[in-house]
Amino acid sequence: MIESREEQGRDLSRLVVSRAGRLVATGDDREPYRVIGPDGVVAEPVSVFLRDLLASGKSAATLRSYAVDLLRWWRFLDAAGVEWDRASRAEARDFSCWIQLTVKQRLQTSRPRAARWSSRTPGAPNLVTGKPASGDGYAPSTVAHSETVLRRFYDFHRDAGSGPVLNPFPLDASRRGRRAHAHRNPMDEWKPERTGRYRPAVPKRIPRAIPDDWFNRVFAALGSDRDRALVAFWISTGARASELLGMRQCDILPGEQLISVVRKGSRARQQLPASADAFVWHRLYQQELLRAGVPRGRRQPAWWTLRRPYRPLTYHGAHRMFERVNASLGADWTLHDLRHSAAARMTHDPQLSLTDVQWVLGHAHLTTTEIYLTQPSGIASDGRVCAGYLMMGIPQ
């Protein structure tokens, strides 16, 4: 009896997935990103899916993260010799095994001669922050995100009639006949539910805040007024990195000591109180922009690169800036750790209630804000940063 393809599987030890293909930033708001497959041709099914996401209001950063996962899937299918619309649950299962075992593709050569496998052991913790170094394999959160993206991709093409009838990435057997949280007691906490058959369990991470003494060293290592203004806004408002970098010049209101950001999830515009020091550093940065001849106007971006040709500062540019500061101190904090630090300071401020902190951070559920209550008291709030929140119109 001949075994079916799903039962037979393939030998992953001999499967060599190359880095052929690439992600192209077009610079066009109507199609921010385009995936070029390993054959050098634009992956049109991916482009159609990304256009649908764009029409539903997803940001360019979301489109990029989805495109990266789909490019990785396209490379795997090229190595397996299977077309995207002919992929079955055998390919989905093998891909889920492969991505959990392989070395990150950015650590491999473009044309590897043999399959490389991750040691699956975390690196030594950083001596300053205590964070374990990222290993050479993909993190569970990356694997889980990839499974979600691919399941949504095939759901879209199944509904459009352009893909396989059966989704290669099915829901978990316990979820197929019912809706998630269908009979949830509103008095109980939200419990995570596995949604995909090939979705790994993602461990909960404890948010790490930057201690006050180390934050002072980080701030002293910043090399420009722009960087000082950015970090001062991040640490005082708790805004996400992408939210602050997406601001325009009209979004900064020093007279009211407020800034306006577009929230990542809801895309709603929200005003946030910031420290007086942040506006001082921003004013010094504005003088640099005037001398440099950067375009002026209320609708112009608020943050620009420091070197010619002047361009709006992107997340990757800000990330590289913070990496250089970390390298000078031997640390490995991230931009998101500034948000964690701001949240920890706010939750330990006696003038702020937990619901006030929830509103400032933009959390949908109060249980998300409660995780910062476990932070040690050594990072108590700074009066210059948090004082006056309740007097600035935060709803009770």
Side-chain angles (χ1 to χ4, degrees):
M1 180 177 179
I2 301 178
E3 293 180 333
S4 65
R5 185 170 52 165
E6 291 196 13
E7 295 174 349
Q8 186 176 3
R10 57 175 50 85
D11 186 3
L12 295 179
S13 62
R14 298 184 179 182
L15 186 67
V16 180
V17 180
S18 70
R19 293 178 57 188
R22 64 188 186 278
L23 178 65
V24 178
T26 63
D28 187 356
D29 293 339
R30 295 166 296 184
E31 189 180 12
Y33 295 98
R34 190 176 297 162
V35 172
I36 308 298
D39 55 358
V41 180
V42 176
E44 190 59 30
V46 177
S47 299
V48 174
F49 177 61
L50 295 181
R51 282 195 291 270
D52 185 77
L53 292 176
L54 186 64
S56 63
K58 297 296 187 294
S59 65
T62 300
L63 266 62
R64 185 185 185 277
S65 67
Y66 277 47
V68 169
D69 290 331
L70 289 166
L71 174 60
R72 192 183 300 118
W73 171 244
W74 240 248
R75 289 169 173 171
F76 178 85
L77 292 177
D78 178 69
V82 179
E83 296 294 331
W84 76 273
D85 54 350
R86 303 293 297 175
S88 67
R89 292 181 180 177
E91 281 71 43
R93 177 196 61 207
D94 293 341
F95 173 79
S96 300
C97 293
W98 171 81
I99 193 175
Q100 295 181 64
L101 298 174
T102 189
V103 172
K104 296 176 184 177
Q105 287 195 307
R106 65 179 177 83
L107 301 178
Q108 303 182 20
T109 59
S110 298
R111 302 289 179 181
R113 297 182 179 180
R116 291 185 57 189
W117 303 109
S118 169
S119 60
R120 307 188 71 182
T121 56
N126 185 275
L127 297 179
V128 175
T129 65
K131 291 183 179 181
S134 58
D136 54 358
Y138 290 103
S141 58
T142 303
V143 180
H145 185 269
S146 178
E147 189 273 340
T148 300
V149 170
L150 295 176
R151 178 158 38 83
R152 291 190 60 180
F153 171 76
Y154 278 101
D155 277 344
F156 166 77
H157 282 286
R158 180 199 59 198
D159 297 340
S162 54
V165 177
L166 293 178
N167 193 327
F169 294 86
L171 290 175
D172 190 79
S174 62
R175 275 287 315 276
R176 269 182 239 163
R178 61 185 181 88
R179 177 171 56 88
H181 308 294
H183 302 287
R184 172 183 171 272
N185 186 340
M187 301 299 293
D188 296 336
E189 295 183 0
W190 289 88
K191 296 181 179 180
E193 294 192 7
R194 289 171 59 95
T195 57
R197 176 187 292 184
Y198 305 122
R199 184 183 183 87
V202 180
K204 291 184 178 180
R205 293 179 293 183
I206 300 176
R208 292 179 179 267
I210 305 176
D212 287 346
D213 55 342
W214 275 104
F215 174 77
N216 294 334
R217 299 184 192 181
V218 170
F219 197 84
L222 298 172
S224 68
D225 291 335
R226 181 205 66 180
D227 300 340
R228 298 184 188 99
L230 276 169
V231 172
F233 276 125
W234 273 320
I235 197 65
S236 62
T237 64
R240 298 176 179 87
S242 58
E243 294 172 348
L244 195 65
L245 293 172
M247 292 171 52
R248 301 165 300 174
Q249 294 183 13
C250 62
D251 294 329
I252 300 178
L253 307 173
E256 302 177 26
Q257 206 167 333
L258 296 172
I259 65 172
S260 180
V261 299
V262 176
R263 284 303 185 185
K264 177 183 177 182
S266 63
R267 310 305 298 169
R269 185 167 293 276
Q270 179 179 345
Q271 288 186 333
L272 299 175
S275 67
D277 291 346
F279 290 100
V280 172
W281 289 115
H282 180 260
R283 181 56 181 167
L284 295 174
Y285 171 57
Q286 281 185 318
Q287 295 299 318
E288 293 181 358
L289 294 181
L290 291 175
R291 291 192 295 267
V294 173
R296 300 174 60 185
R298 291 175 54 83
R299 299 289 180 177
Q300 293 292 338
W303 311 103
W304 295 78
T305 57
L306 299 177
R307 296 179 178 85
R308 296 180 183 272
Y310 296 115
R311 300 179 302 274
L313 181 65
T314 63
Y315 174 84
H316 297 285
H319 178 72
R320 286 293 301 141
M321 174 273 295
F322 207 63
E323 275 189 337
R324 290 191 292 269
V325 173
N326 274 287
S328 65
L329 301 174
D332 61 351
W333 283 299
T334 64
L335 293 177
H336 203 69
D337 288 335
L338 294 172
R339 175 174 166 86
H340 293 324
S341 303
R345 290 180 174 187
M346 293 180 199
T347 54
H348 287 83
D349 190 335
Q351 302 182 40
L352 286 173
S353 67
L354 196 61
T355 54
D356 294 332
V357 180
Q358 177 192 7
W359 184 86
V360 172
L361 297 177
H363 289 158
H365 304 291
L366 191 62
T367 53
T368 307
T369 314
E370 288 176 347
I371 63 176
Y372 295 102
L373 295 176
T374 60
Q375 294 292 333
S377 58
I379 51 174
S381 58
D382 184 352
R384 293 177 302 168
V385 174
C386 295
Y389 274 101
L390 295 180
M391 297 183 291
M392 289 179 144
I394 296 179
Q396 300 297 314

